Amino acid sequence: MDIRQLRYLVTVAEEANFTRAAARLHLAQPGVSAQVRQLEKELGHQLLDRSGRSVTLTEVGKAVLPYARAAISAVEAVRQTADEFAGLLRGQVTLGLVAGAAAAAAHEFDLAAVLARFHVDHPQVEIALTEKTSEWMLTALRQGELDMAMIGLANAEPPPGVSLQVLVDEPLVAAVAPDDPALTSPDRTSIPLAELRDRPLISLPRGTGIRGVLDRACAQAGFQPRIAFQAAAPLFLAQLAARGLGVAVVPALPADMVSAFGLRTLEITEPRLRGRVALAWRTDGPTSPAATVVLELLRTTLTVPGTG
């Protein structure tokens, strides 16, 4: 057998169709089919069931598939390691971003500029970005689906197997319209959490770090937050608050945004809530040289004074 046959088998299994697999591999379908049959002949077992409308794995195929994937990964690792010693990085790096975390960090550093700089230095490395909730990305990190992620933190300690570098740590505030009843005094700068008990709140969705902080704090205070609106972008939450639709619980907003929307922001106290953004990665490190270089670049470049 050779690595091409294993790659064809894995692709057909993922696509459940020879024609789609051939298109993905940029090959003719008869050639892919012939190579898979040759692999089956060599192993002495049928790996794929072709009797239905979709191609499925046989029991032997299901048992073989993880080893085929591992062999492909090992060959790619050999190639990448050799390229590393030659000073040439290749491959793909997967980076997760939670919308709320990226927005919270946007005024602290320019992530796009950092990635553009890396691309100039290493044009043969593809960086794949994905936006999901922090909970999803922590699971994806542990399962190896992501190399690293920028997440919002709901808990003080990272889950087992994940390391963190806090990039942003700032107070959460209640953003309100200028005629909001919470503004009992023009000089008021804070609001106790208990005062938000019966207020309609505007928040990030479940699964984000800031929402986790809010839900946990409210539970400890003995009430469930009344969420009237939720959205992934703090900017939109601020716009909703400016329309008088509720109190937006968001990270400290830039002064120009507060002014543009005519908002007032009150720091949430008793307890004080914090919005934290962190770079997360598997404790045992990325699996490719390219991901290792990207992680080190992010760790050194995105350090915010006072948080590193």
Side-chain angles (χ1 to χ4, degrees):
M1 74 183 72
D2 63 39
I3 197 66
R4 291 180 305 155
Q5 293 171 333
L6 297 178
R7 195 182 301 277
Y8 298 169
L9 171 66
V10 170
T11 306
V12 173
E14 291 176 347
E15 296 292 340
N17 182 279
F18 274 98
T19 301
R20 289 196 299 269
R24 178 172 151 188
L25 292 164
H26 305 291
L27 297 170
Q29 186 270 333
V32 174
S33 181
Q35 287 296 320
V36 174
R37 286 194 182 278
Q38 179 62 34
L39 177 62
E40 291 175 319
K41 181 179 179 180
E42 183 174 345
L43 294 176
H45 292 279
Q46 185 177 344
L47 304 176
L48 297 172
D49 183 351
R50 303 162 174 82
S51 62
R53 298 185 63 179
S54 297
V55 178
T56 58
L57 290 164
T58 64
E59 289 302 313
V60 177
K62 291 177 182 177
V64 165
L65 187 65
Y67 296 101
R69 285 183 167 138
I72 293 168
S73 296
V75 169
E76 291 175 347
V78 168
R79 182 177 296 112
Q80 289 173 350
T81 301
D83 287 342
E84 182 184 20
F85 278 98
L88 178 65
L89 290 182
R90 298 177 184 272
Q92 184 184 76
V93 178
T94 53
L95 171 61
L97 296 172
V98 65
H107 62 284
E108 299 285 357
F109 41 72
D110 189 344
L111 177 62
V114 175
L115 297 180
R117 185 190 321 157
F118 176 84
H119 178 69
V120 170
D121 293 337
H122 307 287
Q124 298 190 50
V125 177
E126 176 187 354
I127 297 181
L129 301 177
T130 184
E131 275 196 346
K132 298 286 186 178
T133 66
S134 298
E135 288 181 359
W136 184 94
M137 289 191 293
L138 284 171
T139 299
L141 277 173
R142 292 195 296 269
Q143 294 177 348
E145 298 173 23
L146 289 176
D147 292 309
M148 63 209 73
M150 187 182 292
I151 63 172
L153 296 181
N155 300 306
E157 297 297 329
V162 175
S163 295
L164 300 173
Q165 177 174 310
V166 175
L167 305 176
V168 175
D169 186 346
E170 57 190 4
L172 294 186
V173 300
V176 298
D179 58 350
D180 190 277
L183 298 174
T184 55
S185 165
D187 299 325
R188 189 178 194 187
T189 59
S190 64
I191 183 171
L193 178 66
E195 199 170 316
L196 301 179
R197 177 189 295 265
D198 298 318
R199 298 293 308 275
L201 302 182
I202 304 168
S203 174
L204 291 166
R206 289 188 182 276
T208 58
I210 289 174
R211 178 62 179 274
V213 169
L214 174 63
D215 286 348
R216 188 175 67 252
C218 291
Q220 292 173 347
F223 69 95
Q224 182 174 346
R226 178 184 162 196
I227 305 298
F229 297 93
Q230 60 182 19
L235 173 62
F236 185 54
L237 302 182
Q239 290 175 318
L240 293 173
R243 296 287 184 176
L245 297 176
V247 178
V249 178
V250 291
L253 298 171
D256 56 347
M257 182 187 297
V258 173
S259 176
F261 293 151
L263 289 168
R264 286 280 306 278
T265 59
L266 305 172
E267 183 178 353
I268 300 172
T269 59
E270 301 176 31
R272 282 185 164 84
L273 307 185
R274 307 291 298 185
R276 299 194 301 155
V277 176
L279 181 65
W281 64 93
R282 288 187 301 281
T283 301
D284 57 3
T287 57
S288 73
T292 300
V293 173
V294 172
L295 176 60
E296 184 60 24
L297 177 64
L298 295 179
R299 291 189 66 188
T300 56
T301 307
L302 302 188
T303 299
V304 178
T307 65

